[in-house]
Amino acid sequence: MSGPSTDGPRSGALSDIVAHAWAATTSDVTSALETGPGGLTSAEAAARLMGDGPNALHTVHVRPLHILVNQFRSALMVLLIATAVLAFALGDRNDAVVIGIILAASVLGGFVNEYRAAKATEALHDRVHHSTTVIRDGTAQTIDVTGLVVGDVVRLVLGQLVPADIRLTEVTDLDCNEGVLTGESTAAAKQTDPLPADTPLADRTNCAYMGTVVQSGTATGIVVATGARAEFGAVAAGLGGDPPQTAFQKGLSRFSVLLLQVAIVLTVFIIAANLILGRPLIESLLFALAIAVGITPQLLPAVVTTALAAGSRRLAAEKVLVKRLVAIEDLGDIDILLTDKTGTLTEGRISLIGAQAPDGRPDDDVLLTGLLATDAADTQASSGNELDTALWRGAGPVADRVAAYHRIATRPFDHVRQMASAISAGPDGRHTLAVKGAPERILERCTGTGPEAEETLDRLFAQGSRVVALATREMPATQTTIGDDDERELTLVGFLVFLDQPKTSAAQSLQDLDNLHITVKVATGDNVVVADKVVADLGMTSGGSITGTELDRLDDEE
């Protein structure tokens, strides 16, 4: 996360506070940006917008001249233009005209295809608009996200796309899906306390980042980075520069240089031979240049453009937008394909795959306990929590048994306890406290837990599953509240097992790639065990998984 670039109150030591906002207290960030609970004034916001620019990654505009110039960025094109000029200078106007027509057709074909793709991209971009709630002049206002500035106080709600990098100041059960930045399929729980300065991006729990999604809860925070200075913006900016030459373009360039070298050698040899034989210099020079023009493949650019354009049309029929024609050849020349996992090979959402007793046996009573321990008593009310939603969605007939229980009290999940609990009165009249949460937190509050529970938990973790532990305790019929002391001396009931399921369609795609002799590797920032399980479930026979750390250790050739 980078701080703002403008001078003034945000410079010097204060800008360092903003640049590492997760390590600073909320009061320090507020002071550094000269803001407060009432937000900025409209005048101050306008001034900062003028200095920092709009909160946008980049504006998509079609630039026909730029697209046209790109068609000439080829050594072969330069060689052919030089050839046409030489042919015209030598008086061979027919060859010059033919070469000119071929060049024009090639340039026009490439221009038309790339211009259409650019217009389609612009149209898609213009359809997307986002607004957000900001506090300015002491009142809540709804503005377009492009108008946000550093120091704005923003409110986040369920389902919202986070509009900028934000240091959170108030949080109510906030979870954000940060898969776009971290690759994690599960939502990240948020809080407001400062963190160490060296905390990695995925663990900065007191910040919400541009492009991530509010999956549950609400929050208020201060904007500390906008546009290209945001974490997501930095990634987008790195992808927005001029693309490097493809292997196909490099090959054409090498071929063009080879032709040029051959033409020069031939020209020198022919001139020297003719002079040795006593031929006139001018005639020898004209003859040599004519030979050089003759060996130039005038039709090659047109053939290349036509072939790539045909590929572009076939991909368009499959709803694939090709922005640069030369990329098509690289697509067909892939030997190793790196893919991400979350949302590409998997569904991108957590699903319940089982409920197991401490000894590992499937047990529907464990599932019932999990349903009774949720903050809400039905799937609609719990839809803001990812795990609760997955639990209700996968409960099946067991969910119908919940109707026989009467909810007495609940204690919602918080990130200190890492658990949630509820008291319910069963059909037999007994009052039971059901607790669910992080396995390590539940187990340390349970009594009489045997070694089989640890073995089951280790096995589930080794399979790459996400596990929630469940425990119970009988409660007095008169008790209607839940305190810290009530969530102790519990009896372990079992474990709920969740997983981001592999996509069924991905298996066929991977098989098709294998048939094409393309090695697929899963590049993951997640647990390698989880990635390897997905790879195995999809039947991948080559490649496997690779982490960012492993990629960093490889040189370019490797």
Side-chain angles (χ1 to χ4, degrees), residues 15-83:
S15 68
D16 186 62
I17 291 176
V18 178
H20 299 85
W22 62 91
T25 64
T26 56
S27 59
D28 285 341
V29 175
T30 301
S31 175
L33 296 178
E34 296 186 353
T35 186
L40 301 173
T41 65
S42 297
E44 176 62 19
R48 294 188 184 188
L49 183 63
M50 183 71 68
D52 292 348
N55 178 36
L57 302 184
H58 65 277
T59 303
V60 176
H61 289 306
V62 177
R63 296 181 291 171
L65 183 60
H66 180 74
I67 297 173
L68 182 62
V69 170
N70 280 339
Q71 308 308 310
F72 293 94
R73 291 183 177 178
S74 163
L76 183 59
M77 283 291 187
V78 174
L79 178 60
L80 288 175
I81 291 172
T83 301

Side-chain angles (χ1 to χ4, degrees), residues 388-407:
D388 283 355
T389 301
L391 176 59
W392 282 101
R393 190 172 56 237
V398 177
D400 297 333
R401 296 167 56 184
V402 177
Y405 291 78
H406 174 61
R407 184 66 56 86

